[in-house]
Amino acid sequence: MRAETIRPRGLLGGRVSYATRRSRAGSAPALAAIAASVMTFANPARAASSYAIAMHGDPALPADYTHFPYADPNAQKGGRLTLGVLGTFDSLNPFNVKSGSAAEGLVPDVFQSLMTRSMDEPFTMYGLIAKSVETDAARDYVLFHLDPRARFSDGSPINAADVRFTFDLLKTKGRPQQRSAYALVKSVETPDDETIRFDFPGLGDRELPLILALMPVLSHKATDAANFESASFDIPIGSGPYRIATVDPGQKLILKRNPNYWAKDLPSQRGFFNFDAVEIDYYRDPTSLFEAFRTGLIDFRIETDPLRWTTGYDFPAVRAHRDAIESLPIGGPKGMDGFVFNLRRDLFKDIRVREALGMTFDFEWVNANLFCGLYTRTKSFFDDSIFMSTERPASLAERALLKPFPRAVRPDFLEGLWQPPQTDGSGHDRIWPFRALTLLGSAGYQVADGKLIHNGQQLRFEIMVQDRLQERLALNYADSLARIGVDARVRLVDEVQYERRRQNFDFDMMIGSWLASASPGSEERTRWGSEAADEPASYNLAGVESPAVNAVVDSLLAAQSQDDFVMSVRALDRVLLSGFYIVPLYHARNQWIATSTTLARPVKLPAYGSPTLDDALDSWWRKKP
């Protein structure tokens, strides 16, 4: 499930779900599963240069690999792809929050990173701008050797000075995740034009070398550092396979393939970026976006509305096989979508209040009546994966990790017994409202004249939403809350106001979406860490400040074995669930897509993540007539 939301940007930009964009150029940590051993290099015995680096274990592909398994090196080149996205844009800079809402399609198509990730593996990076990487067993440093062939789109060479410039710029003016990650680096050296070294001795963060490998590279000659935080439509210079050809501010972006793209024959790029031109058109509402596909104005669509998926695709182009619909499996853990409580508000500080309010969400009725029964209730931040703590009792190692925080995890969560509330689906269930009122009574609330009262005031708050789909869901939840005397008011705001209020934490409750990574890492700090709680534009929407959360995140980042890593992530899942920071919603096990039958894709899908617009842009191609 992905409600049609405007989501925060990831490390390298692009709309994501409080986590990571599925770009192969790596927009953030995550989307992978766990490998088995401690070392991370092809040669773990010494600090030698390697063609790839993995978070755990060895890279799956050999040094002489020819292409990623989910790319077709024989894909046809040419043609034009037209995509549609919801919203607008007022900037061509995807790397800074203050610079506005950046256009889609810039990463990895215009801007690329030092190394690129394989979506067929746990977090593993392969050579791109950096042809090789070096680190030691302790992960106290990382050294990148740049490919001497690497070029920006204007033909100028990419050198260590550009990487150093980018690092320094994003460390001070980048997105919150970049600033917090890059601040961990103690020193930077550039011994020559093709080498850059980052040192962070004793840090105990095994992920940081990979985070640095995800760093985009900007031209120090073509980037205006002084005005980096200002919204701009100046055409940027990148190193990717496309250049920006046309910009219609807020309406349209057209990319054209760079015939001189320097990396087109690299194994990590072979079979990708097959269209000569990509047009990205913006639509103000979901209905007009759907109509654009139905009438043939766009070529590819991801459907997020179950009712429309069930009933809306019986139109002439589908019946005539000009368009096709397909349900593709979503690999890896399923993330968390939910109503998030803003703990910066006093009314949500009591955990009993949060748990009680969560009891009133009637998933069974909502799923049957609004979503055609196509969703599954989410019961973990890492659902359908080895990281899920629900239905699994904590191991001895987990219990030892959590022992210093005896009140952080309730016994039913520790034993894996907790489940989200399950109603009778009638819409008039009595059991869970009664339990909610009982718990609220223990917190000092009582019902008087149909209102839930505490200290003479009714429990009242606003649910901020940003589209009609969210509004419909929130109105249903507000009706359920009204049954126990809560006055929950739903407010629909436009994209600009929504993003501004989200970044400033100016909301009581909103719908959040957190993609789950099969290699959870430093993004968990920006989502749940205490330091991010009051940092503007951070992804810690709930304002969580928990020593237990901080400790288990440190543990997962320092884990040197698969068992320790899995143990730490399960402990994090238990602490988050036990904190009742979110009212869990639901997820789909498949991604629903609709495409023109003139498009083709590789037979093999990547093992992790779900199909996105980025996949269409990267690995698909136009069939020849």
Side-chain angles (χ1 to χ4, degrees):
M1 172 265 176
R2 294 293 171 263
E4 288 203 29
T5 61
I6 299 300
R7 294 162 173 128
R9 269 65 175 170
L11 282 175
L12 298 187
R15 289 199 170 101
V16 299
S17 299
Y18 306 108
T20 176
R21 181 175 180 268
R22 241 175 59 74
S23 152
R24 293 175 306 98
S27 48
L31 291 184
I34 300 302
S37 64
V38 178
M39 291 304 297
T40 60
F41 259 8
N43 183 356
R46 61 190 178 89
S49 294
S50 175
Y51 65 98
I53 180 173
M55 180 65 186
H56 295 92
D58 294 329
L61 300 178
D64 60 351
Y65 80 102
T66 59
H67 62 280
F68 284 151
Y70 52 90
D72 185 347
N74 298 314
Q76 297 175 8
K77 302 289 186 181
R80 186 186 189 93
L81 175 70
T82 303
L83 301 173
V85 297
L86 194 64
T88 186
F89 68 96
D90 57 11
S91 174
L92 297 179
N93 178 3
F95 307 118
N96 184 271
V97 173
K98 296 180 181 179
S99 64
S101 180
E104 296 282 347
L106 298 177
V107 179
D109 315 301
V110 175
F111 299 101
Q112 290 195 312
S113 51
L114 279 169
M115 303 184 77
T116 188
R117 72 181 309 143
S118 168
M119 300 315 302
D120 237 17
E121 303 176 47
F123 197 2
T124 302
M125 304 295 294
Y126 289 83
L128 184 55
I129 293 173
K131 65 179 181 180
S132 63
V133 59
E134 172 188 317
T135 189
D136 59 357
R139 296 277 178 101
D140 282 338
Y141 78 95
V142 64
L143 184 148
F144 297 102
H145 297 283
L146 306 188
D147 193 320
R149 299 168 295 177
R151 294 290 185 274
F152 289 109
S153 60
D154 63 356
S156 60
I158 301 175
N159 56 44
D162 296 300
V163 182
R164 176 64 186 265
F165 165 80
T166 304
F167 174 82
D168 291 339
L169 180 62
L170 298 183
K171 182 179 177 180
T172 56
K173 297 184 179 181
R175 292 185 171 274
Q177 310 98 302
Q178 293 166 324
R179 296 198 303 269
S180 60
Y182 299 169
L184 300 174
V185 175
K186 301 302 182 184
S187 64
V188 184
E189 297 177 4
T190 53
D192 56 56
D193 284 348
E194 296 175 6
T195 308
I196 186 165
R197 173 176 171 138
F198 301 91
D199 284 275
F200 28 89
L203 183 63
D205 185 340
R206 298 183 58 79
E207 189 189 46
L208 188 55
L210 284 82
I211 298 302
L212 292 167
L214 286 163
M215 183 170 60
V217 181
L218 309 178
S219 169
H220 76 279
K221 294 180 180 178
T223 303
D224 184 358
N227 296 304
F228 191 72
E229 294 178 312
S230 301
S232 172
F233 289 112
D234 292 340
I235 303 298
I237 299 297
S239 63
Y242 289 94
R243 294 182 291 199
I244 297 174
T246 302
V247 180
D248 183 358
Q251 304 293 322
K252 183 193 302 287
L253 186 75
I254 298 178
L255 308 177
K256 289 192 175 180
R257 189 146 53 90
N258 179 6
N260 299 315
Y261 174 49
W262 74 273
K264 60 185 176 182
D265 293 322
L266 290 185
S268 66
Q269 304 296 284
R270 199 169 289 147
F272 296 105
F273 311 114
N274 301 310
F275 300 98
D276 285 341
V278 178
E279 178 177 330
I280 304 172
D281 297 327
Y282 281 75
Y283 294 84
R284 295 287 184 173
D285 62 84
T287 299
S288 61
L289 182 56
F290 172 71
E291 286 300 311
F293 178 78
R294 192 180 69 84
T295 56
L297 296 179
I298 60 178
D299 296 313
F300 180 92
R301 171 174 172 78
I302 296 174
E303 185 54 73
T304 59
D305 185 337
L307 181 61
R308 183 182 290 135
W309 179 249
T310 304
T311 65
Y313 283 85
D314 184 19
F315 52 79
V318 174
R319 292 195 295 269
H321 304 292
R322 295 192 302 274
D323 290 335
I325 59 174
E326 190 173 10
S327 183
L328 300 177
I330 300 174
K334 310 304 182 292
M336 175 68 75
D337 287 21
F339 290 100
V340 56
F341 299 100
N342 187 352
L343 271 64
R344 302 168 187 85
R345 304 288 203 250
D346 288 339
L347 75 161
F348 293 139
K349 290 188 181 298
D350 192 322
I351 191 172
R352 294 169 295 181
V353 173
R354 302 196 299 272
E355 181 180 7
L357 296 181
M359 291 177 179
T360 67
F361 179 70
D362 191 346
F363 165 74
E364 283 68 31
W365 187 94
V366 166
N367 192 37
N369 291 273
L370 300 185
F371 302 134
C372 306
L374 294 182
Y375 286 139
T376 299
R377 186 75 191 267
T378 303
K379 53 185 180 296
S380 166
F381 285 84
F382 308 93
D383 219 323
D384 289 344
S385 78
I386 59 173
F387 303 127
M388 184 176 71
S389 66
T390 313
E391 301 173 0
R392 288 188 177 102
S395 66
L396 293 177
E398 271 189 84
R399 293 170 194 265
L401 177 60
L402 294 169
K403 186 176 181 179
F405 315 100
R407 301 182 62 183
V409 178
R410 216 167 59 185
D412 53 336
F413 288 94
L414 200 63
E415 300 302 331
L417 299 175
W418 177 86
Q419 292 282 339
Q422 183 174 352
T423 71
D424 60 15
S426 67
H428 302 286
D429 187 275
R430 294 176 177 271
I431 295 175
W432 287 104
F434 175 77
R435 292 180 181 177
L437 286 172
T438 301
L439 188 56
L440 286 163
S442 71
Y445 287 85
Q446 60 183 2
V447 177
D449 298 326
K451 299 179 180 179
L452 187 66
I453 303 297
H454 183 262
N455 292 334
Q457 299 292 323
Q458 183 181 15
L459 180 55
R460 177 183 292 114
F461 59 89
E462 178 186 275
I463 306 175
M464 182 179 71
V465 298
Q466 57 106 44
D467 62 38
R468 295 297 180 184
L469 291 176
Q470 286 192 358
E471 183 182 41
R472 180 173 61 168
L473 181 63
L475 287 171
N476 177 271
Y477 184 35
D479 287 344
S480 296
L481 290 167
R483 294 180 60 200
I484 62 170
V486 176
D487 181 15
R489 302 181 181 183
V490 179
R491 183 173 182 186
L492 175 65
V493 299
D494 62 33
E495 179 184 351
V496 174
Q497 184 179 0
Y498 179 89
E499 196 67 15
R500 182 174 62 250
R501 290 184 59 181
R502 182 200 67 77
Q503 291 178 2
N504 293 312
F505 309 122
D506 182 19
F507 62 89
D508 299 329
M509 173 182 280
M510 62 176 283
I511 295 177
S513 185
W514 294 263
L515 285 179
S517 166
S519 180
S522 60
E523 77 277 6
E524 305 302 336
R525 276 181 176 154
T526 63
R527 295 173 176 181
W528 315 110
S530 297
E531 291 185 1
D534 295 316
E535 182 179 1
S538 85
Y539 299 161
N540 190 344
L541 298 178
V544 176
E545 296 184 78
S546 164
V549 168
N550 298 336
V552 294
V553 171
D554 288 344
S555 177
L556 72 88
L557 288 172
Q560 297 193 21
S561 72
Q562 180 186 11
D563 288 345
D564 286 347
F565 185 72
V566 173
M567 176 274 295
S568 299
V569 180
R570 287 181 184 171
L572 175 62
D573 192 36
R574 293 185 207 278
V575 174
L576 293 177
L577 290 171
S578 210
F580 294 100
Y581 305 116
I582 308 275
V583 180
L585 291 178
Y586 38 76
H587 62 271
R589 298 185 185 275
N590 294 306
Q591 181 76 72
W592 308 316
I593 67 169
T595 71
S596 165
T597 54
T598 64
L599 298 182
R601 63 169 174 82
V603 174
K604 185 186 183 320
L605 295 172
Y608 303 110
S610 59
T612 68
L613 285 178
D614 295 328
D615 291 305
L617 195 62
D618 291 357
S619 62
W620 293 48
W621 63 89
R622 177 79 66 185
K623 299 175 185 176
K624 291 185 177 179

